[in-house]
Amino acid sequence: MPDRHLTSLTIPRPDDWHLHLRDGEMLKAVLPETSRHFARAIIMPNLVPPVVSSQQAVAYRERIMAAVPEGATFTPLMTLYLTEATDPEDVRAAHTNGIATAVKLYPAGATTNSASGVRDFEKVRPVLEVMAEIGMPLCVHGEVTDNEIDIFDREAVFIERVLKPLRKKVPDLKVVMEHVTTQDAVDYVRDSHKNLAATITTHHLIINRNHILAGGIKPHFYCLPVAKREAHRVALVQAAVSGDKRFFLGTDSAPHTEANKLQSCGCAGIFTAPNTMSCLAEVFDAAGRIKKLEDFASLNGPRFYGLPPNDDTITLTKGDPVRYPTQIETGDGPVTVFDPGFDLHWRVED
Ligand code: NCD
Ligand code: ZN
C-alpha cells in the first residue's frame, strides 16, 4: 500500500553514517548544516594530513565540538584512517576509550586525499583481526584504483578482487560498504547475511551519469564513486526504500569550494548537507514509501553500529516547495549546495 496520502512524518532524529566536515573555516561553515537535522555522524578522516592516530582523532573531535553552534547537540563519531602503518593496539585503545567508532579504508589513490591509503591488504590484516575481535566496523571506500579498470567498473571489480577475499579471510569483521552506486553492490550486500551493510548517499538516489555528462559537463554532480547508469540508480532507490536493515543513509556530503570544483581538474564531492532530508523525503515519497525513511535515515544505521536510535524526533511536512540557498558562504569561499533538479515539497519543521 503506497503511503502517498501522508503529508507529515515524525521519525527519530536521523544520523549521517558518512560525512566530510573538513577543518578550519570550512568546518565552521558546514557543521551547522548537518547539526540542524542530524544527531550524530560518522566523520571521515581524509584531512590533510589524514586522521591516522587516536591522538589526532581526539584533537579533531575537539575542533568539531568547538564548531557546534550554540543550542545544537551533535555527536561526531570519529574514524581512523587506515594506513599500512596503523598500529592494531592504537586502534583497540581508540575503540575501547570511545575515541573512534570505526576505521576507514581508502584504497590508495581512490579519491580526494587518499594517497596514504592501503596498497597491500595483507599489511593491514593484523588491524582487521583486532577490529573483528572487538566488533569495530570497517568503513570501506569500495573502488579499485587500477588505471586499467574503467572508472564505471571500479566498484564491481572491487567487490570481486578485494572485498570478497578480505571478508573470507576475516569473516567476523563488520564491514560497511560505503556510498554504493551499483546493482552489483546492492546484490552483494543482499546476498550476505552477516557483518555487511551499505550506505547510500542522497545524490546517488537522484542522479545518474547523464546528469554529469549530457548537455554539458556538470562539475557539481561529480563525486566518487561516480554516478552510474540509470538502472543502477533505480536499484539503489529500491534498496533504500525497501526498509532492508542492511541499507542506511551516509550522505557523503563532501564540500569543496567553488574554485576547487570549477577548474580543469575539479575536485570530486557533492555538498548535500543542507537539503538532504528534503531530497530524501521527495525520493521516498515518489516511490510511495515515505514511511520507510525512518528505517533508512534513523533506525538501520544505529542498529548496525550497535547504538540506540536517537531519543528525540524530527517532523517532516509536505507543502509548497521549500527553497534552499544555492550556495553557502565559508571563510574559504562559496560552496554550492546540491541541486536535485526538482522541487522539494518536504521540509523539516524547526
Ligand atoms: C570525498 C571528498 O571530497 O573528501 N569525495 C567524494 O567525491 N565523495 C571523498 C570520498 O568520500 O570519496
Ligand atoms: Zn566520502
Side-chain angles (χ1 to χ4, degrees), residues 18 20 22 46 106 111-112 141 179 223-224 252 254 256 268-269:
H18 180 133
H20 298 269
R22 315 300 191 203
N46 64 331
Y106 286 105
T111 184
T112 313
H141 183 110
H179 42 50
C223 68
L224 290 170
D252 195 13
H256 290 281

Side-chain angles (χ1 to χ4, degrees), residues 102-103 105 128 131-132 135-142 158 162-168 170-178 180 188-189 192 194-199 246-248 304-305:
V103 169
L105 165 66
L128 303 183
M131 291 169 61
M136 184 181 196
L138 180 71
C139 296
V140 177
H141 183 110
F158 183 88
V162 182
L163 207 47
K164 284 187 181 173
L166 185 144
R167 294 189 58 240
K168 213 169 255 162
V170 196
D172 292 332
L173 180 66
K174 287 172 89 166
V175 174
V176 182
M177 206 183 163
E178 300 195 283
V180 293
Y188 177 57
V189 172
S192 336
K194 228 179 109 209
N195 293 335
L196 182 65
T199 57
R246 292 165 294 189
F247 297 98
F248 45 88
F304 187 80
Y305 275 87

Side-chain angles (χ1 to χ4, degrees), residues 199-216:
T199 57
I200 304 178
T201 75
T202 306
H203 49 278
H204 288 117
L205 295 173
I206 294 172
I207 60 165
N208 62 37
R209 63 197 198 182
N210 277 11
H211 290 85
I212 313 170
L213 296 170

